[in-house]
Amino acid sequence: MREFFNVIPPDEALETLLDRLEVTVRAVIVPTSQALGRVTAEDVVSPEDLPPYPRSTMDGYSVRARDTFGASEALPAFCQVVGEVAMGSQPQVSLATGHAAVAYTGGMLAEGADAVVMVENTQCVGDNSIEILRPVAPGENVIQVGEDVRAGDTVIPKGRHIRPQDIGVLFSLGITEVAVAQRPRVAIVSTGDELVAPEESPVPGQVRDINSYSVASLVREAGGLPMHIGLVADDYEAQRLAAMDGLERGDILVFSAGSSVSSRDLTVRVLDELGPPGVLVHGIAHKPGKPTIVALVDGTPAFGLPGNPVSAMVVFGILVRPVIQALMGRTEPPVTHGVHAKLTKDIRSATGREDHVQVKLIESDTGILADPVFGKSNLIRTLVEADGVVVVPLDDGGLYGGDEVFVRLY
Amino acid sequence: MREFFNVIPPDEALETLLDRLEVTVRAVIVPTSQALGRVTAEDVVSPEDLPPYPRSTMDGYSVRARDTFGASEALPAFCQVVGEVAMGSQPQVSLATGHAAVAYTGGMLAEGADAVVMVENTQCVGDNSIEILRPVAPGENVIQVGEDVRAGDTVIPKGRHIRPQDIGVLFSLGITEVAVAQRPRVAIVSTGDELVAPEESPVPGQVRDINSYSVASLVREAGGLPMHIGLVADDYEAQRLAAMDGLERGDILVFSAGSSVSSRDLTVRVLDELGPPGVLVHGIAHKPGKPTIVALVDGTPAFGLPGNPVSAMVVFGILVRPVIQALMGRTEPPVTHGVHAKLTKDIRSATGREDHVQVKLIESDTGILADPVFGKSNLIRTLVEADGVVVVPLDDGGLYGGDEVFVRLY
């Protein structure tokens, strides 16, 4: 086994892995109605022009624009209303000079019309006659054929996360099925002699497994499919068999470690010996995520997460989530969601280490406050209380109470 | 039908409805493994103490604290290592004066021990002997029984959105089922003579229905269950029958309107006449959400969303989402997720109106830029391009290029 003398910054650890990762996105076809939250596997190309006919953007009257030229409140243009084009209908009416037809937002124009006058810029002057108070240019208040989307245009590029509005857009083009990236399967192995399953009653010395369940939920949120491989003892052979099972069944392997150092040491050996290149990173310059393992085993990314539940969660966000998204070919950089808040207390840190400190958000008269949730490591309570984390950058010695900070929300 | 002369601010429109809403949260029991994203319907109370035994927070040696008093690098305390307490095991070893036992993070202490010395503060001096270089106080590096959670403590209060870490916490306490709020059923009626279903080929004058599908996706994201009631014509009786069907089957009724004014006028009448108190708000001081209807029909909240797809989405976020969450008894104010960015262009607005302007985020050397996505109303393309919206407050005349703005992310 190689030795690892230095911890490296978290983003370098991620790059080290991503640089060696060969991504082949597997596409599956799903009904558009079930595509929410998936990632497009191919460019989605419009089969048709949108709109397919010139469409009014206003309620008013379709007209021949030239009939309105020079119109003003003082000298309105007079038009005869010769009919209407009902919503959802084709025009039954054709305009001659000085004619207008009632038009609706989203509806078609009368034959011969080339612009729409807003109803607000007209006034009725008796049955079937209007005065137009402002001129319109040809094409005004009209969306032309293909002005929105042209047949053959890429409407959603590949690698994009599908949002509610995208579902609407796909349906608007009659696209009822879409090719999305298969969800990466994330095999989760829990290790630790002290761990028992949640439904068991631990005897003194034992604790229930937490991390594999919060990690499974995080996998789901990130767009992956969690697969529980099982709970294994701190034993080299048991870990090795579980890892082989996980590598066969998963696209990513995650060891959710017990809290002891010996458990982690076994995981390092297992991940280093199962296939090349093995362990890439052992230890990151991060608090509380230092004891993290990043490996690549015959092309499959593998991680050993720290045993501390807070650490496991934070490291998942930094390293595992981006890899899940990379395997789906997701191209846009996931923007970090959060809020700006004012820190209530000092946070001490060490230069050369990126600290993630859990905070609780408090609404106050002076804006949102971020109150650090400290506590002995492994306290469950801090997990429930915190709303997010504040990052103290690598080269920063700490933050002060009153500082404006960005809180990454859970 | 009553008449509505004034539009009111969006938050006032929401309060008007919430003030009259009687919320009875219906609880359903789900397995904890499927509770992600649900809202707790009752306080979740711990059945047991956590930890159930005193637990070491460090790798090192459990000792009798008084044996270490006065220890220093110059004058270390000498201890004999009489055994270890393995992970997951109860202590097989008992300490007399001057004894120590190997302890692991998360493991138990030896009988008679009351503190743990970190391995870093010790050195081996031959087989089974160590020198302790720093004193520990009783209880140091130990989590006491119930120090994290006590039996009977509320670990997750009711009305809380369940996150990945909460799943871990529930399992850590052996809680394998949890009472969550039933998902509110949101009945969606699409109206508009021009609308056809997505799988149909529209003839000239027709368009495919978009809004009811993007709204359904937004409902799902907000924690509700969408139910498509169907596509109905701009006809009073047809809308009335669809509304009655929706009111019977849904906890919330949403009219996803066509784009024409006449369609909306029918919806106002239907929602006002089906049951008291009827329409509460018709028109909000909001761009592009002005033509919005808020009603309460015999206790069921009902909405008429604007026909413009962007407007429908924005108004959903302002009015419908909070009502879905209210019906689940969700207590914490949903924090608005977003990013701060620098505006690339001026945005004009009118005082007395809250403007939501779609923006695309661009990464630049000077930070994130928010580039307004303008376009004729109803353009599909703007929906796909935008990453979120910038809000121009009610009393603001506009924003300037270069201004720091908060972008609410889609």
Side-chain angles (χ1 to χ4, degrees):
Chain A
M1 191 174 93
R2 272 161 293 155
E3 287 184 12
F4 300 89
F5 296 102
N6 290 311
V7 296
I8 68 171
D11 51 352
E12 221 173 279
L14 178 60
E15 266 169 49
T16 301
L17 177 60
L18 290 180
D19 282 351
R20 293 162 196 236
L21 204 59
E22 283 179 29
V23 175
T24 316
V25 175
R26 277 170 302 217
V28 287
I29 307 291
V30 297
T32 301
S33 57
Q34 284 162 40
L36 186 66
R38 304 297 295 262
V39 173
T40 47
E42 298 165 6
D43 287 350
V44 180
V45 172
S46 177
E48 55 190 60
D49 287 334
L50 203 73
Y53 51 86
R55 206 164 68 185
S56 174
T57 64
M58 295 288 167
D59 286 323
Y61 299 90
S62 66
V63 294
R64 293 147 57 110
R66 78 185 84 99
D67 292 350
T68 70
F69 292 171
S72 66
E73 304 219 2
L75 196 65
F78 183 85
C79 272
Q80 199 189 339
V81 179
V82 295
E84 69 161 5
V85 182
M87 287 305 288
S89 301
Q90 290 178 254
Q92 310 288 332
V93 57
S94 176
L95 304 190
T97 302
H99 284 179
V102 176
Y104 299 102
T105 306
M108 293 184 84
L109 277 57
E111 293 275 354
D114 61 2
V116 170
V117 182
M118 287 169 67
V119 68
E120 291 86 342
N121 293 332
T122 64
Q123 59 195 25
C124 287
V125 288
D127 283 358
N128 302 326
S129 297
I130 54 165
E131 283 177 354
I132 296 172
L133 311 175
R134 284 178 55 182
V136 285
E140 199 165 330
N141 298 323
V142 177
I143 303 179
Q144 303 297 338
V145 172
E147 185 178 338
D148 195 350
V149 180
R150 290 211 164 275
D153 276 1
T154 293
V155 276
I156 306 180
K158 82 170 166 189
R160 274 276 298 268
H161 175 248
I162 299 176
R163 308 165 300 171
Q165 56 267 55
D166 301 322
I167 301 281
V169 168
L170 292 170
F171 276 133
S172 76
L173 296 165
I175 300 169
T176 54
E177 290 184 332
V178 58
V180 298
Q182 209 171 53
R183 297 184 189 285
R185 289 156 301 185
V186 181
I188 302 168
V189 176
S190 296
T191 66
D193 285 339
E194 76 281 22
L195 298 182
V196 297
E199 56 277 12
E200 286 179 45
S201 295
V203 298
Q206 298 181 325
V207 287
R208 295 194 186 86
D209 181 20
I210 303 180
N211 286 351
S212 62
Y213 295 91
S214 41
V215 166
S217 301
L218 289 167
V219 166
R220 219 169 268 130
E221 276 194 351
L225 268 185
M227 306 175 66
H228 286 281
I229 298 297
L231 201 55
V232 300
D234 289 332
D235 171 87
Y236 177 79
E237 194 53 24
Q239 284 204 14
R240 201 176 70 90
L241 289 173
M244 286 168 63
D245 188 15
L247 287 168
E248 192 177 342
R249 289 159 65 188
D251 303 307
I252 297 176
L253 173 63
V254 173
F255 267 80
S256 167
S259 54
S260 73
V261 173
S262 55
S263 171
R264 190 161 53 246
D265 289 345
L266 288 174
T267 305
V268 173
R269 261 181 68 202
V270 167
L271 293 182
D272 205 46
E273 291 171 7
L274 270 177
V279 171
L280 304 173
V281 177
H282 184 195
I284 56 174
H286 183 280
K287 185 185 171 190
K290 191 178 168 204
T292 293
I293 305 159
V294 179
L296 190 64
V297 181
D298 284 328
T300 302
F303 300 89
L305 298 182
N308 176 321
V310 178
S311 312
M313 219 167 63
V314 169
V315 171
F316 183 96
I318 298 175
L319 297 175
V320 188
R321 188 198 310 274
V323 171
I324 292 176
Q325 301 196 328
L327 290 186
M328 292 190 289
R330 189 164 168 181
T331 52
E332 81 261 55
V335 182
T336 306
H337 285 218
V339 290
H340 285 250
K342 202 169 276 183
L343 207 56
T344 59
K345 297 190 190 88
D346 294 354
I347 296 177
R348 283 183 219 160
S349 177
T351 302
R353 189 180 71 192
E354 187 177 294
D355 280 21
H356 282 212
V357 177
Q358 295 200 108
V359 296
K360 187 178 170 55
L361 295 177
I362 300 167
E363 286 189 307
S364 82
D365 293 343
T366 60
I368 301 177
L369 305 177
D371 192 35
V373 179
F374 295 119
K376 290 180 188 171
S377 92
N378 283 316
L379 279 197
I380 295 300
R381 186 172 288 286
T382 66
L383 275 175
V384 182
E385 280 177 6
D387 295 308
V389 293
V390 167
V391 177
V392 187
L394 216 57
D395 298 325
D396 216 323
L399 296 169
Y400 295 97
D403 279 1
E404 177 89 356
V405 292
F406 182 73
V407 180
R408 294 188 191 176
L409 291 172
Y410 283 145
Chain B
M1 192 175 91
R2 272 163 294 154
E3 289 184 10
F4 299 90
F5 296 101
N6 291 310
V7 296
I8 67 170
D11 52 352
E12 220 173 279
L14 178 61
E15 266 170 49
T16 301
L17 176 61
L18 289 179
D19 282 351
R20 294 163 197 236
L21 204 59
E22 283 180 29
V23 174
T24 317
V25 174
R26 278 170 302 214
V28 287
I29 307 290
V30 297
T32 300
S33 57
Q34 284 161 41
L36 186 65
R38 305 297 295 261
V39 173
T40 47
E42 297 165 6
D43 288 349
V44 180
V45 171
S46 177
E48 56 190 58
D49 287 334
L50 203 75
Y53 50 86
R55 207 164 68 183
S56 174
T57 64
M58 295 289 168
D59 286 323
Y61 299 91
S62 67
V63 295
R64 294 148 56 111
R66 78 186 85 100
D67 292 350
T68 71
F69 292 170
S72 67
E73 303 218 2
L75 196 67
F78 184 85
C79 272
Q80 199 188 339
V81 180
V82 295
E84 69 160 5
V85 183
M87 287 306 288
S89 300
Q90 291 178 251
Q92 309 288 330
V93 56
S94 177
L95 303 189
T97 301
H99 284 178
V102 176
Y104 299 102
T105 307
M108 293 185 82
L109 278 55
E111 293 275 354
D114 60 1
V116 171
V117 182
M118 287 169 67
V119 69
E120 291 85 342
N121 294 332
T122 64
Q123 59 194 28
C124 286
V125 288
D127 284 358
N128 302 326
S129 296
I130 54 166
E131 285 178 353
I132 295 172
L133 311 174
R134 284 178 55 183
V136 284
E140 199 165 331
N141 298 324
V142 178
I143 302 179
Q144 303 299 336
V145 172
E147 185 179 337
D148 195 350
V149 179
R150 290 212 164 276
D153 276 1
T154 293
V155 277
I156 305 180
K158 80 169 168 188
R160 273 276 298 268
H161 175 247
I162 299 176
R163 306 165 302 171
Q165 56 268 54
D166 300 322
I167 301 282
V169 167
L170 292 170
F171 276 133
S172 76
L173 296 165
I175 300 169
T176 54
E177 290 184 333
V178 58
V180 298
Q182 211 172 53
R183 297 185 190 283
R185 289 157 300 185
V186 181
I188 302 169
V189 176
S190 295
T191 67
D193 285 338
E194 78 281 23
L195 299 181
V196 298
E199 56 277 11
E200 287 180 46
S201 295
V203 298
Q206 298 182 325
V207 288
R208 295 194 186 84
D209 181 20
I210 303 180
N211 286 351
S212 61
Y213 295 90
S214 42
V215 166
S217 300
L218 290 166
V219 165
R220 219 169 267 131
E221 277 195 351
L225 268 184
M227 307 174 66
H228 286 282
I229 297 298
L231 201 56
V232 300
D234 288 332
D235 170 88
Y236 177 78
E237 193 53 24
Q239 283 205 15
R240 200 177 70 91
L241 289 173
M244 286 169 64
D245 188 15
L247 287 167
E248 190 176 342
R249 289 157 65 187
D251 304 307
I252 297 176
L253 174 63
V254 174
F255 266 80
S256 168
S259 54
S260 73
V261 172
S262 56
S263 171
R264 189 161 54 247
D265 288 345
L266 288 173
T267 305
V268 173
R269 261 181 68 202
V270 166
L271 293 181
D272 204 47
E273 291 171 8
L274 270 175
V279 172
L280 303 174
V281 176
H282 183 194
I284 57 175
H286 183 280
K287 185 184 171 189
K290 190 179 170 205
T292 292
I293 306 160
V294 179
L296 191 63
V297 181
D298 285 328
T300 301
F303 300 90
L305 297 182
N308 177 320
V310 178
S311 312
M313 218 168 63
V314 169
V315 170
F316 184 96
I318 299 176
L319 296 176
V320 187
R321 188 199 310 274
V323 170
I324 292 175
Q325 301 196 327
L327 290 186
M328 292 190 289
R330 189 163 168 181
T331 52
E332 82 262 54
V335 182
T336 306
H337 285 220
V339 292
H340 286 250
K342 201 169 278 183
L343 207 55
T344 59
K345 298 190 188 85
D346 295 353
I347 296 177
R348 284 182 218 160
S349 176
T351 303
R353 189 180 72 192
E354 189 176 294
D355 279 20
H356 282 214
V357 177
Q358 294 201 106
V359 295
K360 186 178 170 55
L361 295 177
I362 300 167
E363 286 189 308
S364 81
D365 293 343
T366 61
I368 301 176
L369 304 178
D371 191 36
V373 179
F374 296 120
K376 290 180 188 172
S377 94
N378 282 316
L379 279 198
I380 295 300
R381 185 172 287 287
T382 67
L383 275 175
V384 182
E385 280 176 6
D387 295 309
V389 293
V390 167
V391 177
V392 187
L394 216 56
D395 298 325
D396 217 322
L399 296 168
Y400 296 97
D403 279 2
E404 177 89 357
V405 292
F406 182 72
V407 179
R408 295 190 190 173
L409 292 172
Y410 284 145

